[in-house]
Amino acid sequence: MKREGVIGKAKITDCNTRSKGSGVILDYTFTVEGKKITGKQSYYELKSQVCRELLYREVSIIYSEDRPEENRLMISENDFKKLGYPYPDSLKWTDRYYKEW
């Protein structure tokens, strides 16, 4: 079942490695009806080398139409699978940055 929401584009504005262990923290912005919304999301499974590749890129985001501050980046194949959406070819380049557990 697909989660209710609107899919849009967000721009990664900052990327930092997590202080407690592995992964990265992504800061991002997106605009809904002229209003700029900012967010932050951790990706434990991403290698820190992805930061230079993701910085200032646009990636997919899903957000609530009524409350866009409720949102989630959609970068990994798993992000898309969880919500029942197909994983776009345009993001397959990120696969090499995921850790193997």
Side-chain angles (χ1 to χ4, degrees):
M1 176 189 292
K2 292 184 180 183
R3 178 178 162 183
E4 294 296 317
V6 177
I7 294 185
K9 292 289 183 184
K11 186 174 188 177
I12 304 299
T13 58
D14 200 7
C15 182
N16 296 290
T17 55
R18 291 178 28 83
S19 59
K20 294 183 178 182
S22 62
V24 298
I25 300 170
L26 300 174
D27 293 352
Y28 56 91
T29 63
F30 65 106
T31 304
V32 177
E33 296 179 4
K35 181 181 176 187
K36 184 178 178 180
I37 299 167
T38 61
K40 186 178 290 239
Q41 187 170 321
S42 292
Y43 273 87
Y44 300 100
E45 67 276 12
L46 278 174
K47 297 176 184 176
S48 61
Q49 296 91 326
V50 76
C51 282
R52 71 176 167 268
E53 297 287 334
L54 274 177
L55 197 57
Y56 307 118
R57 278 205 178 192
E58 285 191 341
V59 296
S60 297
I61 190 167
I62 189 167
Y63 60 90
S64 167
E65 188 171 5
D66 298 332
R67 299 188 61 196
E69 60 276 359
E70 293 179 13
N71 58 72
R72 176 154 180 76
L73 292 176
M74 295 176 63
I75 298 173
S76 73
E77 186 172 4
N78 199 34
D79 292 337
F80 285 84
K81 280 185 178 178
K82 281 184 205 173
L83 299 174
Y85 289 97
Y87 185 50
D89 289 342
S90 62
L91 286 174
K92 292 199 186 256
W93 66 270
T94 64
D95 292 350
R96 67 180 179 266
Y97 293 106
Y98 282 89
K99 298 178 183 185
E100 295 186 24
W101 299 99

